[in-house]
Amino acid sequence: VGRTQDWGSSTWQANEVCSALGGLVAEGEITIFEKRQSESSFFTLPPRGAVGAVLSAARSTSGGRVFRAGEVIVPRVTPGFETELKALKGQFIYPGVDYRIMSMTDKDGSPIFSTDCIKNESDKSKARLALRPCGWKLQQQLWKRDGVKDWPIEVEAGMLSNVATTRFNIDSAIPRITSAFQRDWKLYTLSLAIALTPIPLALFARNFVSFYAIPSASMEPTLLRGDVLVVEKLPGAYQRTKRGDIVLFNPPESLTKIITNNGSKLSSTSLFVKRIVGLPGDQNIRLDDEGNVEINGESAVGPDRTLCADEPLRLIDRQLREGNGKELKELGLSDVYVLGDCKAVSVDSRVWGALPKENVVGKPIARIWPLNRFKVNLD
């Protein structure tokens, strides 16, 4: 829809996408209303093509304006036109929201590209504009708030001609910002705070918040290899921890030895992630032949630890047979016992023993990647 250079339409090669989907077919209709040539966007005065269209749109104002298919318009609160704004709201067309004109027809229902082709002003005001909010997220917000599912919605040009401007016009800035805050004030307030306080926030983030990418399968299926976590590292992380919580910790000496003996190296910032299942003072910690752990006569808390793939060589078996944590009479007052959620591959307290609680430095507050697995509160 619309004039491709003016309004951002584009094409691209998608052979790999089509191949992955096993074939992709798209069907549509294209109506050519007019043709133009030699409209290079650059090196011309006055500017033509896409640049010229943007500059022209930026200069346009409300009041009998011309609409074009494909254009993005922004209704705004305009004194003296309260009746039109109220009627538009009744059709789910709100001030400050970006709407794209998907198609247009004259008063008789014939397709047109621009209201400029209608010479009679009365007929021009009766042209029908099919509007759709720009962006799937905005459509989803309007659906959740107002129950609107069927887009586009047709509106007469006369209802918009005095209250709508283009998104390129500076007059649309304040209505768009106001509307954005009304729809999701928490998100935009946070974004504004980040923009206005970069240095304090950066210092805070460096010391107390970090990102952590899961490097192994030891926490599957709760956390998958490649998942990215946001981790809070405020002082006293252990004091905010209870049995069953996932924590990040500095490796104890016994774990460091295992890693270095296997030829690997750790940096000063290396952290590990496990689930706390044993607390100070817990008794009778025992590992059975299946790799399961009992604490205080009961199975360790957590998910089913068999819901993950076995490591083909079963290297964990030898480590468990020689493990420092396969049988403990009692945890010390400064120790905890941690397990991975995948017992078939996790090198945890079963192998290297108790973890000093002072080594606990953080807790995950959200998984932010991949997006389809976004989740807050992972415990």
Side-chain angles (χ1 to χ4, degrees), residues 35-51:
K35 297 180 181 180
R36 282 177 285 235
Q37 295 179 343
S38 302
E39 287 201 359
S40 173
S41 297
F42 304 99
F43 311 116
T44 58
L45 289 175
R48 296 184 295 181
V51 174

Side-chain angles (χ1 to χ4, degrees), residues 77-246:
V77 175
T78 307
F81 295 95
E82 291 77 10
T83 301
E84 287 86 343
L85 288 168
K86 183 177 181 180
L88 288 170
K89 288 182 179 179
Q91 294 183 270
F92 311 107
I93 308 299
Y94 301 105
V97 177
D98 291 9
Y99 295 91
R100 185 177 293 278
I101 303 175
M102 305 302 295
S103 61
M104 299 172 57
T105 60
D106 61 18
K107 66 182 181 65
D108 298 319
S110 300
I112 58 174
F113 177 71
S114 169
T115 55
D116 198 34
C117 70
I118 304 175
K119 302 307 179 183
N120 183 283
E121 291 298 323
S122 176
D123 291 344
K124 184 180 295 187
S125 67
K126 296 178 182 178
R128 306 287 296 179
L129 282 58
L131 304 181
R132 180 192 296 273
C134 293
W136 66 267
K137 186 175 182 180
L138 179 55
Q139 294 181 36
Q140 186 181 56
Q141 288 174 337
L142 293 177
W143 170 59
K144 288 183 177 180
R145 190 181 71 180
D146 301 326
V148 190
K149 292 184 180 180
D150 298 325
W151 297 99
I153 289 177
E154 287 197 350
V155 178
E156 285 192 353
M159 297 177 64
L160 290 162
S161 60
N162 292 297
V163 299
T165 185
T166 173
R167 62 177 172 179
F168 298 115
N169 193 308
I170 191 64
D171 292 341
S172 70
I174 293 179
R176 295 173 79 191
I177 293 172
T178 302
S179 176
F181 271 91
Q182 290 174 341
R183 293 195 307 271
D184 196 343
W185 69 268
K186 292 182 179 179
L187 173 63
Y188 288 99
T189 300
L190 177 61
S191 300
L192 183 61
I194 292 174
L196 295 177
T197 58
I199 295 177
L201 190 64
L203 292 174
F204 175 85
R206 178 179 179 182
N207 291 284
F208 303 121
V209 179
S210 66
F211 298 105
Y212 180 83
I214 300 298
S216 70
S218 68
M219 287 296 292
E220 290 186 2
T222 307
L223 301 173
L224 305 183
R225 191 194 308 266
D227 284 359
V228 178
L229 312 180
V230 177
V231 180
E232 64 94 347
K233 298 187 294 184
L234 295 169
Y238 176 76
Q239 281 66 43
R240 299 187 298 278
T241 301
K242 63 183 183 298
R243 192 190 304 271
D245 284 358
I246 297 173

Side-chain angles (χ1 to χ4, degrees), residues 64-78:
R65 74 186 304 280
V66 172
F67 294 103
R68 296 166 59 168
E71 179 182 6
V72 175
I73 59 173
V74 184
R76 60 194 178 109
V77 175
T78 307

